Amino acid sequence: MPIVDGERGRAFDLRDSEYEVAAVAAAIRSNSDDDSDASDDSPLTVRCPEPGEIHDHVGIVEPDRSYPLQTALAEVARVRGHESSVDEALADVREELAALDLPSVSLEAKRRQVAETDDAAGLEEQVATLRGELEAAKDRGEDPAALADARERAVADLTERRTERLAAEQSLERARTDAREARDRREERLRLQDRERNLERDARRELAGELQSSFERALSALGACGSGAVDGASDGYGANDSDVVSDRYGASDANAPASVDGPDAIGALAVCRIAPISAPVVVAGEWFASATAAAAALDAPVILVEA
Amino acid sequence: MLLVVTYSRAARQTLRNVCNAHEESVVRRLGRAAMFEESAMGAFLGLRLREKHGADVQLERTVPFNEFETVGEEVRSAAAAYESREHPSTPYAKFAAGTDHPSPDALRGRDLTEDGRD
């Protein structure tokens, strides 16, 4: 089994091998799970430290993929010890969410009960029929005792059924009232979840914003690498004039930190450059002339693969 | 119509998906709630949502509102009169005091009827 040994080097070039991005990425990830089990079905073994969250976000660089650059940049900021102004509010919301007790709501049994006791109409009809028959029997001068008994039984049944139905309806009504409170609680959870998400977004934006200038410098530096290391002719993005490259790869909007004019992938490379990454970054595409140049530019271990 | 209200992010998302996929059965979308047409298809969609998200989905059946059947003249004219009041800041309780308009307590204590008689 071929082995890429991260302990023996930081720059590996697999572009002439059969290994594709997915296989290499899987090898890096499975390496961290469980050595014994992963080496069995994976065609390749990569010895390296366990990839972290930043690597998960931007560690596999392919030309046409989109990347959660802001999330990744915010993560880098966290690793560097930055905090956001909403961290406390976020912790509070999460605490509230964790403490929320959610009673369940299930009225199904009670709805069914009401539906099933709904046969009073049939009994009413029976009572009416018996009354008619009883009167007819009296008119004919027959002994009405048997019919009178039957009618009495039907009336008793009807009364009982009406009582049952009423009880079932009342029980459902009470359960509905209780359910309102349970749903209030669920509504509160939804409100907290939405607030949590908004705060997370605010925190990400703020944290990513703190690294905006580092990010821009990284983009420029990667553009500058283009004059030597990035293969200028490949797909129209690179160029041999470093100024042109850095222009094209400028950060695009100060209000949306970590956005990039150009392919997302160049942004991912820029995040890799400023992030502390110890698992190898997998780079597909002709961004760099050599694995060594890539490792130097990204300041991280690198495996180059064919795009 | 059938009223579907969702109480979690996941249920809300499924409701959105269902609404997008079945526009013909959706009468109105109201954020995390929607009104489905009163058909077996509407019921099927609602039941599917509840099957998937349990207590995070509430299903109700609505009844058309006819104010000429369900509330008395007194209530209708009180609403009209209050909306054309002189001072927008007057609360209803104060507005109704000393007039023939029902008090807020009287309104709260009165159920809707089927024939419009109080």
Side-chain angles (χ1 to χ4, degrees), chain A residues 55-66:
Chain A
H55 192 282
D56 285 347
H57 293 314
V58 292
I60 313 296
V61 185
E62 296 174 89
D64 297 328
R65 235 169 92 172
S66 63

Side-chain angles (χ1 to χ4, degrees), chain A:
Chain A
M1 155 118 29
I3 291 178
V4 172
D5 192 344
E7 284 160 25
R8 295 189 175 194
R10 282 165 58 80
F12 304 90
D13 194 338
L14 301 185
R15 281 180 296 183
D16 288 330
S17 76
E18 79 230 55
Y19 300 112
E20 290 175 352
V21 180
V24 180
I28 291 171
R29 288 195 182 118
S30 63
N31 166 67
S32 58
D33 295 335
D34 187 334
D35 286 345
S36 53
D37 174 280
S39 51
D40 288 339
D41 45 336
S42 166
L44 177 76
T45 299
V46 178
R47 276 194 200 129
C48 66
E50 187 175 332
E53 264 186 68
I54 299 167
H55 192 282
D56 285 347
H57 293 314
V58 292
I60 313 296
V61 185
E62 296 174 89
D64 297 328
R65 235 169 92 172
S66 63
Y67 291 88
L69 295 179
Q70 200 177 80
T71 306
L73 207 54
E75 196 63 41
V76 177
R78 290 249 185 240
V79 172
R80 289 190 178 181
H82 289 268
E83 285 174 5
S84 87
S85 61
V86 298
D87 284 358
E88 213 169 298
L90 196 49
D92 288 346
V93 168
R94 287 179 177 153
E95 204 173 304
E96 276 187 72
L97 272 169
L100 212 57
D101 175 33
L102 285 182
S104 113
V105 182
S106 180
L107 309 179
E108 191 181 344
K110 294 191 189 300
R111 283 194 303 268
R112 189 188 294 272
Q113 210 178 350
V114 167
E116 282 173 355
T117 50
D118 190 18
D119 58 357
L123 283 169
E124 272 168 29
E125 205 175 306
Q126 201 186 334
V127 170
T129 310
L130 284 167
R131 188 175 50 219
E133 285 175 9
L134 189 61
E135 270 157 25
K138 278 180 185 161
D139 288 347
R140 288 195 298 272
E142 294 166 12
D143 179 10
L147 278 169
D149 278 357
R151 184 178 161 270
E152 251 169 57
R153 275 198 305 278
V155 168
D157 279 353
L158 180 61
T159 309
E160 194 185 333
R161 201 33 79 96
R162 278 182 178 151
T163 312
E164 272 176 26
R165 163 88 182 179
L166 196 65
E169 277 173 356
Q170 282 170 346
S171 167
L172 178 59
E173 202 43 51
R174 273 195 303 275
R176 272 200 228 273
T177 309
D178 292 346
R180 253 181 231 176
E181 205 178 303
R183 290 196 170 110
D184 286 349
R185 220 80 68 77
R186 279 167 198 270
E187 196 166 297
E188 173 67 1
R189 178 187 57 174
L190 188 59
R191 190 187 67 78
L192 288 170
Q193 284 175 337
D194 283 343
R195 178 160 164 71
E196 182 189 29
R197 191 161 56 176
N198 290 342
L199 287 170
E200 281 169 349
R201 198 189 49 211
D202 292 348
R204 269 199 309 275
R205 189 168 294 177
E206 193 180 321
L207 288 166
E210 304 222 349
L211 295 191
Q212 180 66 7
S213 51
S214 306
F215 180 67
E216 284 170 19
R217 279 197 302 277
L219 282 172
S220 308
L222 285 168
C225 289
S227 57
V230 173
D231 181 348
S234 65
D235 50 8
Y237 290 127
N240 284 329
D241 182 336
S242 67
D243 285 331
V244 172
V245 176
S246 24
D247 262 10
R248 286 198 182 171
Y249 294 161
S252 70
D253 184 357
N255 294 324
S259 54
V260 182
D261 283 335
D264 242 23
I266 190 78
L269 291 174
V271 176
C272 287
R273 181 178 165 94
I274 60 177
I277 288 187
S278 47
V281 176
V282 180
V283 180
E286 301 297 314
W287 305 101
F288 302 101
S290 72
T292 319
L298 301 184
D299 191 19
V302 167
I303 301 176
L304 293 189
V305 294
E306 200 65 55

Side-chain angles (χ1 to χ4, degrees), chain A residues 186-187 189 193-194, chain B residues 7 9 12 32 50 56:
Chain A
R186 279 167 198 270
E187 196 166 297
R189 178 187 57 174
Q193 284 175 337
D194 283 343
Chain B
Y7 290 86
R9 271 196 222 165
R12 183 175 56 190
R32 64 188 178 87
R50 192 163 62 196
D56 288 335

